[in-house]
Amino acid sequence: MFNSVSRRILLGVLLLLVGTVLATTAHAEIQWSESVEESLSKAAETGKPIMMDFYTDW
């Protein structure tokens, strides 16, 4: 019984460590752009999608 519980705890700790390492190494900085034309042309060149965010202060 104790062996099964300790294995589950060990597995949980290992998964937590692996998730933490993957999250810290996958950190990529967002490249912001204020020009729609520039962003669309860059997206067409690289084949990557863009995300547009619209808001207002009415």
Side-chain angles (χ1 to χ4, degrees), residues 24-46:
T24 56
T25 58
H27 181 270
E29 189 171 327
I30 297 174
Q31 300 296 318
W32 297 101
S33 175
E34 295 183 11
S35 169
V36 175
E37 294 83 12
E38 179 185 327
S39 298
L40 289 174
S41 66
K42 187 182 284 188
E45 290 173 7
T46 59

